[in-house]
């Protein structure tokens, strides 16, 4: 794991995990100058509320919810609406 990887993943998802925060804290004494700058930027994003401490939901869970909401649920609602009309 590198500071850059943690930064990019946090920036994309809007979430930094407790493990990533702990990793940054443990390794900050060995950061190069540019890595320190990245860690400071990440800290500012956390302070601004653009990155939050939490956990990331796997992509397949999100896709399952999207399929459920966009495809399966509407079919179920239509089916029950037809039964009520009959």
């Amino acid at each position: 794991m590198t500071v850059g990887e943690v930064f990019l993943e946090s920036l994309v998802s809007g979430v930094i995990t407790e493990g990533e925060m702990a990793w940054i804290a443990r390794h900050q004494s060995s950061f190069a100058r540019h890595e320190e700058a990245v860690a400071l930027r990440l800290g500012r994003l956390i302070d601004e509320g653009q990155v939050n401490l939490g956990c990331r939901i796997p992509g397949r869970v999100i896709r399952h919810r999207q399929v459920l909401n966009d495809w399966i649920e509407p079919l179920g609602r239509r089916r029950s609406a037809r039964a009520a009309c009959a």
Side-chain angles (χ1 to χ4, degrees), residues 22-36:
W23 183 88
I24 288 174
R26 273 193 318 271
H27 292 89
Q28 65 184 349
S29 62
S30 64
F31 287 167
R33 192 171 185 194
H34 69 280
E35 292 172 319
E36 288 179 15

Side-chain angles (χ1 to χ4, degrees), residues 4 6 12 15 31 37 46 51 54 60 62 68 73 79 82-83 86:
V6 172
V12 168
V15 173
F31 287 167
I46 293 168
V51 173
R60 61 187 153 100
I62 294 170
L68 182 65
E73 284 296 319
R79 192 175 315 133
R82 286 186 205 145

Side-chain angles (χ1 to χ4, degrees), residues 14-81:
V15 173
I16 187 166
T17 65
E18 289 184 44
E20 291 167 341
M21 287 287 284
W23 183 88
I24 288 174
R26 273 193 318 271
H27 292 89
Q28 65 184 349
S29 62
S30 64
F31 287 167
R33 192 171 185 194
H34 69 280
E35 292 172 319
E36 288 179 15
V38 170
L40 287 172
R41 178 68 179 136
L42 183 58
R44 287 191 194 109
L45 291 171
I46 293 168
D47 290 343
E48 293 170 1
Q50 294 183 22
V51 173
N52 298 296
L53 182 63
C55 63
R56 292 186 194 94
I57 299 174
R60 61 187 153 100
V61 173
I62 294 170
R63 280 191 296 272
H64 174 72
R65 287 186 183 154
Q66 181 181 6
V67 167
L68 182 65
N69 290 331
D70 294 346
W71 295 97
I72 297 171
E73 284 296 319
L75 293 174
R77 283 187 224 124
R78 288 188 205 131
R79 192 175 315 133
S80 62

